[in-house]
Amino acid sequence: MNPVVDIENVTFAYGDSVAVRDVSLTISEGDFLGLIGPNGSGKTTLLHLMLGLYAPDSGSIELFGEPVSEFDRGERIGYVSQQATSRGGTMPVTVREVVTMGRFPHAGHARLTERDREIVDDAMETVGITDLADQRANQLSGGQRQRAFIARALASEADLLALDEPTVGVDAESRDEFYRLLESLNESGITIVLIEHDIGVVTDRADHIACINQELYHHGDTESFVESDALTEAYGTSGQVVHHHH
Ligand code: ADP
């Protein structure tokens, strides 16, 4: 399998405060990777590094075999940030307009083609928001908004979806549905990196797990993680582990 993300010996500090220390991690095509660790352990920072939003202080990162600094994020990668979940944003754009933004890297400055419109419609259909197409995006529930952002990524024909705690503020039922959607997208060949504080969700859904606390404590398939001591080592005995209740 081709590496989609290849991180080698990456260290990054905010000023004097090291957030990610000497992390090496390869994510292969088709992986569904759960990225876990206690609060403040560097998960979001590592994701931002992967996406080229920050440059590492040392080490290297490649996306699809290219240095991340030269990678055009508009293509191949869909990113759903934590902030995407919250309300706010008063721009009165419709759901269809949000999803259509996914076509811009492809359409350039040209007008959208009939094919672009079809891709947008298909993306909305796939995530189940067709009937919300003409609603204002800022009037959606958290779960619906997440689906709109996923649809935007699908419209851009992303091969990699990076999600940072996508179900914060989403009710349990919508959350389950959302994770089933992620699973089926992954089965269709999309590589997924998911930050999720609920370890039960991660061990249920992800096929690989990376556990960090500044340093990488474990990376491997879910089974090897469950059998390892990485959880207690990375989280300590501070009781920060969030247990999952079915
Ligand atoms: P996580 O996503 O695991 O909660 P973060 O990557 O957000 O962790 O943060 C890792 C560490 O870096 C934390 O100690 C946090 O306080 C610090 N940090 C995060 N963002 C910034 C920033 N913009 N400036 C300074 N420190 C930051």
Side-chain angles (χ1 to χ4, degrees):
M1 280 292 170
N2 297 322
V4 171
V5 182
D6 195 5
I7 300 170
E8 279 186 37
N9 302 109
V10 161
T11 294
F12 177 85
Y14 296 100
D16 292 335
S17 163
V18 173
V20 171
R21 192 187 298 277
D22 198 24
V23 167
S24 297
L25 178 66
T26 302
I27 304 171
S28 301
E29 205 176 304
D31 281 3
F32 185 152
L33 177 82
L35 178 56
I36 63 170
N39 281 334
S41 61
K43 302 181 295 294
T44 299
T45 304
L46 186 61
L47 197 68
H48 285 175
L49 285 161
M50 279 183 208
L51 299 172
L53 299 173
Y54 307 141
D57 297 328
S58 59
S60 67
I61 302 175
E62 290 190 347
L63 287 178
F64 300 97
E66 267 182 74
V68 64
S69 55
E70 285 161 37
F71 198 84
D72 178 0
R73 257 184 311 123
E75 291 179 41
R76 305 198 73 176
I77 298 175
Y79 171 46
V80 181
S81 72
Q82 245 169 13
Q83 268 140 8
T85 338
S86 60
R87 261 159 215 282
T90 50
M91 279 206 327
V93 292
T94 66
V95 170
R96 184 188 301 280
E97 285 165 336
V98 167
V99 179
T100 300
M101 287 173 202
R103 293 310 300 159
F104 292 160
H106 299 270
H109 296 291
R111 291 170 64 92
L112 292 176
T113 63
E114 197 51 41
R115 173 92 188 109
D116 288 320
R117 284 181 227 286
E118 270 171 33
I119 290 171
V120 167
D121 284 343
D122 287 350
M124 289 194 293
E125 182 84 43
T126 300
V127 306
I129 56 169
T130 301
D131 54 340
L132 302 174
D134 297 318
Q135 283 200 28
R136 303 244 183 259
N138 58 11
Q139 288 166 356
L140 301 181
S141 71
Q144 291 168 337
R145 191 191 320 273
Q146 282 306 344
R147 285 166 182 272
F149 282 106
I150 299 282
R152 185 183 63 183
L154 295 180
S156 76
E157 299 178 313
D159 303 308
L160 170 65
L161 267 184
L163 305 116
D164 193 346
E165 302 217 14
T167 61
V168 169
V170 175
D171 66 78
E173 196 182 323
S174 315
R175 217 171 99 147
D176 267 5
E177 252 177 68
F178 181 77
Y179 281 117
R180 279 200 293 277
L181 169 65
L182 285 191
E183 275 181 326
S184 75
L185 295 176
N186 179 241
E187 278 158 22
S188 77
I190 296 175
T191 306
I192 294 179
V193 182
L194 168 71
I195 296 179
E196 164 64 62
H197 70 275
D198 187 330
I199 290 158
V201 165
V202 173
T203 52
D204 280 355
R205 309 286 180 177
D207 53 34
H208 286 75
I209 291 179
C211 180
I212 65 166
N213 194 351
Q214 284 190 8
E215 293 168 46
L216 184 68
Y217 279 74
H218 186 89
H219 175 227
D221 59 33
T222 302
E223 210 165 293
S224 74
F225 168 76
V226 171
E227 287 165 1
S228 77
D229 295 326
L231 195 60
T232 42
E233 283 167 5
Y235 284 74
T237 48
S238 56
Q240 284 192 72
V241 177
V242 178
H243 292 284
H244 185 53
H245 301 285
H246 282 281

